[in-house]
Amino acid sequence: MPITPVIDHAVINVDDELNQAQHVFQRMGFQLSERGHHSMGSSNHLAIFRDNYLELLGYEADRQTASRGLWQVAPGLAGLVWKTADASAVWQHLQQCGLEGEPPTAFSRPVTLPDGSTTEARFCITRIRGSALDYGFSFFCEQQTPEAVWQPAWQVHPNTVQALTAFVIASPQPVQTLALYRQLFNCVPRMDAQGGYVLDSGTCRLRVISHDQAGLEFALPPAGQNAPAKMVALCFQVASLNQLRQSLTQGDIQWREQDNALLVTQQQAQWLAMRFHL
């Protein structure tokens, strides 16, 4: 079964620092959902955009289960999540590719909608085998109740972010890192003007670049010669750079001006680097 790559959302693992993460991202001008609690024990906040979103994933000590689930990876940008309308069909495809992880897993979380009514957000996910990528996790998500996520009232952010537009992986060998996605989607990523590679994947594209390039573009600390691949940055489209500047100023968040873009460094965003553009 051919699978079209479309990124659904990006996951930042904040471990036991959900309160801190909530504070930082609200200071950056994101409207965050009320804290959600998954049936598998994790907790989260979401920043919802047009057709994708950002997830702050962690846990609360009194809700933590024996298994730490998805947040067992190191804190930071940790999860690349793909859209699917059929998690079971994707599971079969992963088996054919030799990339199967866990079988489809269903879970849910309660949701209070903007009108005050309550519902349940339900998902079914199929994970790519963990040993296939040692720099985070990746899975396919079947959004069984999209209306419990993409509410128009939740898509309005003081910083005017409209969409997540790029998910960036830094790698010592970008071609080798891309081999997984070429196998998974049977496609050939294209080279970009900066010397990296791009996999077009809906509104949000996947970029795989060298550590040196990541340092130049996102002001990341130098990586060692043998540094492994790592998820390092996200890019966002905004409606107004001026309103973004106002939000960052009000939140006491420092930024760097780039060509028609603003960069919030990892030192400021704590878990990753973030670039905002028109």
Side-chain angles (χ1 to χ4, degrees):
M1 177 190 82
I3 297 178
T4 301
V6 179
I7 292 177
D8 187 74
H9 64 279
V11 182
I12 301 173
N13 173 30
V14 300
D15 207 59
D16 61 351
E17 294 186 316
L18 264 175
N19 290 338
Q20 172 71 0
Q22 177 185 14
H23 181 59
V24 169
F25 278 78
Q26 286 176 332
R27 285 170 52 211
M28 282 192 281
F30 288 98
Q31 177 189 187
L32 298 180
S33 64
E34 293 184 5
R35 185 163 302 179
H37 303 290
H38 294 126
S39 53
M40 63 173 61
S42 53
S43 297
N44 71 357
H45 288 285
L46 306 181
I48 309 295
F49 313 125
R50 277 197 303 261
D51 57 6
N52 52 38
Y53 62 90
L54 172 67
E55 179 176 14
L56 305 176
L57 181 71
Y59 69 92
E60 295 180 344
D62 58 350
R63 292 179 179 269
Q64 184 182 1
T65 59
S67 171
R68 291 193 47 162
L70 293 175
W71 66 85
Q72 60 189 325
V73 298
L77 184 58
L80 174 57
V81 184
W82 307 93
K83 289 184 185 292
T84 182
D86 190 339
S88 295
V90 170
W91 165 245
Q92 295 175 4
H93 176 73
L94 293 177
Q95 289 178 303
Q96 294 169 0
C97 294
L99 294 172
E100 73 275 15
E102 300 163 3
T105 302
F107 62 102
S108 62
R109 59 178 173 83
V111 174
T112 300
L113 296 174
D115 64 5
S117 63
T118 58
T119 187
E120 187 176 65
R122 298 190 302 276
F123 318 88
C124 187
I125 65 173
T126 300
R127 289 189 67 178
I128 297 172
R129 177 167 45 83
S131 59
L133 65 170
D134 57 4
Y135 48 87
F137 58 81
S138 187
F139 61 84
F140 289 81
C141 182
E142 178 185 337
Q143 298 273 357
Q144 298 177 330
T145 53
E147 68 281 359
V149 176
W150 281 279
Q151 286 281 323
W154 295 338
Q155 295 171 297
V156 180
H157 301 273
N159 60 15
T160 76
V161 168
Q162 307 289 296
L164 176 63
T165 58
F167 188 111
V168 184
I169 298 173
S171 170
Q173 297 179 304
V175 173
Q176 181 176 322
T177 297
L178 278 164
L180 165 69
Y181 305 102
R182 295 185 63 170
Q183 179 184 5
L184 183 60
F185 299 113
N186 191 27
C187 63
V188 179
R190 58 183 174 84
M191 289 195 70
D192 66 13
Q194 290 75 35
Y197 294 86
V198 172
L199 176 65
D200 292 315
S201 43
T203 301
C204 181
R205 57 185 184 155
L206 174 64
R207 288 189 67 211
V208 182
I209 59 180
S210 69
H211 282 292
D212 287 345
Q213 184 65 32
L216 289 173
E217 289 190 37
F218 299 101
L220 294 167
Q225 185 173 2
N226 298 317
K230 184 179 181 182
M231 299 175 176
V232 295
L234 295 174
C235 298
F236 302 86
Q237 181 186 30
V238 299
S240 168
L241 288 175
N242 282 335
Q243 285 185 243
L244 171 64
R245 290 185 186 96
Q246 291 176 19
S247 291
L248 296 176
T249 299
Q250 290 171 3
D252 194 26
I253 300 290
Q254 297 178 21
W255 73 86
R256 300 186 184 187
E257 296 279 350
Q258 293 185 330
D259 293 336
N260 297 314
L262 270 63
L263 174 68
V264 175
T265 65
Q266 181 177 310
Q267 289 82 355
Q268 284 292 303
Q270 298 190 26
W271 290 274
L272 75 167
M274 304 171 70
R275 177 189 289 145
F276 302 85
H277 62 89
L278 291 174

